Amino acid sequence: MPDQPVSVDFLLSGPGHNRPFAADAHFVPDGQAKPVVVFVHGFKGFKDWGHFNVLADWFARRGFVFVKLNLSHNGVVVGGTGDLEDLEAFGRNNFSIELDDLGALLDALHQPGATSIPAAEMDLSRLALIGHSRGGGLLLLKAAEDARVRAVASWAAISNVNPGWTEQQMADWQQRGVVYVENSRTKQQLPLGYQLVENYYQHRSRLDIEQNLRQRLHNRPVLILHGDQDETVPLARAQQLHAWQPTTELLVLPGTTHNFGGTHPWPSPELPEQARQAAEATAEFFERKLQA
């Protein structure tokens, strides 16, 4: 069928480390140049979580090339189970690595032959980002430092990469070298190395969502999308982002939770209704803002 999406896989590596990471693209191969959307997963997430492949096909049918990646230190292993299994790498992750991985993907999209996506299918002058949760904060930072990004949509985004570490928490963390957070889905104890804190303070300006949003994104289309039933990232975070940059568009989805109705694994070929509403709003926003 002419409107049937295909998917292609490719591997990348980020600067400063030798750890390969996987990406894929979903698109309808009609030979027409289409806007490109890059999707960034959140903390404890990965590119094939839950309904993300269904989401990719949904955007492909809507007329986009939809690209998603595993951030290199998210715990997924190339050729592995597809779930979080390399906890040592997870513990070495930090925000700068994630920004650099996303930058490596954007560079690859602009480099002929660096991905498996036919160049004729992509209109990179209409490049947008979608990010979920921590990925939503990440894409705001990346858009602020990369003019190739024409528009962004944050889904249930954080507003600060520092969740409010107290001096005592940081002192204990530094002494032990690592703290653990539970993956509520798998009950794994996921390590976070103290270098995460060190990286934050070393690159404070680059990782300051508020200042980057205020100073660098006033003339870029930004959609802030959040559910009013988000149990993980409070709606107040979206309102805070919008207050910092009033040129953004804020859309609150009634009855919508943090994962937009999704679970892992996702058993249906259809999107959860909450995710469908988010996708519809985001596609419409990009169609308005990414005029050829």
Side-chain angles (χ1 to χ4, degrees), residues 6-12 22-39 60 64-69 104-124 127:
V6 300
S7 64
V8 296
D9 303 311
F10 51 97
L11 292 179
L12 298 170
D24 60 56
H26 294 232
F27 57 94
V28 174
D30 57 9
Q32 301 297 311
K34 295 172 276 293
V36 178
V37 172
V38 174
F39 180 83
F64 296 87
V65 174
F66 192 92
V67 182
K68 49 190 174 67
L69 76 160
L105 173 58
L106 299 184
D107 289 345
L109 292 174
H110 287 82
Q111 180 181 343
T115 73
S116 303
I117 312 169
E121 302 290 346
M122 296 189 293
D123 180 356
L124 289 167
L127 174 64

Side-chain angles (χ1 to χ4, degrees), residues 39-43 52 130-136 155-156 258-260:
F39 180 83
V40 186
H41 65 76
F43 183 55
F52 289 168
I130 301 173
H132 176 243
S133 194
R134 179 158 130 177
W155 288 14
H258 186 66
N259 287 326
F260 295 86

Side-chain angles (χ1 to χ4, degrees), residues 140-156:
L140 293 171
L141 296 172
K142 177 50 67 176
E145 69 180 19
D146 195 325
R148 295 174 298 186
V149 179
R150 288 277 313 282
V152 298
S154 69
W155 288 14

Side-chain angles (χ1 to χ4, degrees), residues 169 172-174 176-181 189-194:
Q169 284 174 325
D172 293 344
W173 194 348
Q174 185 175 24
R176 289 182 288 175
V178 63
V179 296
Y180 292 88
V181 295
Q189 295 299 310
L190 304 174
L192 298 175
Y194 184 71

